Amino acid sequence: MGSSDAVRVRRVYDPPEEDDGTRVLVDRLWPRGVSKEHAAVDVWAKDATPSNELRSWYHEDRSGKRYDAFVDRYRTELGDPAHEHAVGEILGLLREGGPVTLVTAVKDVGASHVPVLAEHLRHTLEHG
């Protein structure tokens, strides 16, 4: 299984699938209206998510014009010690044989932190 196949993304509101592997919640807050049983989350990686400050800054502007700057800032955050530890735990799961499914409650996954985190994980796996 290549690293691109090993990291998957799914919304927490969708039912788990057999090939999800380890399901890692990558939201800072627990999703509203979702029981722990329905979420089927194995690991909650709060510290792999954007800081509260970055998240608030990004959501102040709903036009989407801040996304590129958000991505740059989040990539920088992924290198700080708190993020590195949480990301390291996810990488450990992937190195144990994956797959890992990043689970999120965000409505627009493509305009969120999740693709950035997934790309960071894939890149780190490929380039160490």
Side-chain angles (χ1 to χ4, degrees), residues 15-72:
E17 295 187 11
E18 269 187 47
D19 63 349
D20 280 351
T22 304
R23 291 172 54 91
V24 179
L25 179 63
V26 290
D27 291 341
R28 184 141 318 250
L29 304 173
W30 187 264
R32 289 183 187 172
V34 177
S35 69
K36 293 190 188 226
E37 294 77 32
H38 178 77
V41 167
D42 300 300
V43 177
W44 187 3
K46 291 183 205 177
D47 290 334
T49 66
S51 65
N52 287 328
E53 295 79 17
L54 179 56
R55 192 169 45 96
S56 295
W57 172 83
Y58 178 52
H59 291 297
E60 283 173 4
D61 176 27
R62 295 289 182 178
S63 71
K65 293 178 182 177
R66 289 185 175 180
Y67 187 69
D68 290 340
F70 168 78
V71 168
D72 290 341

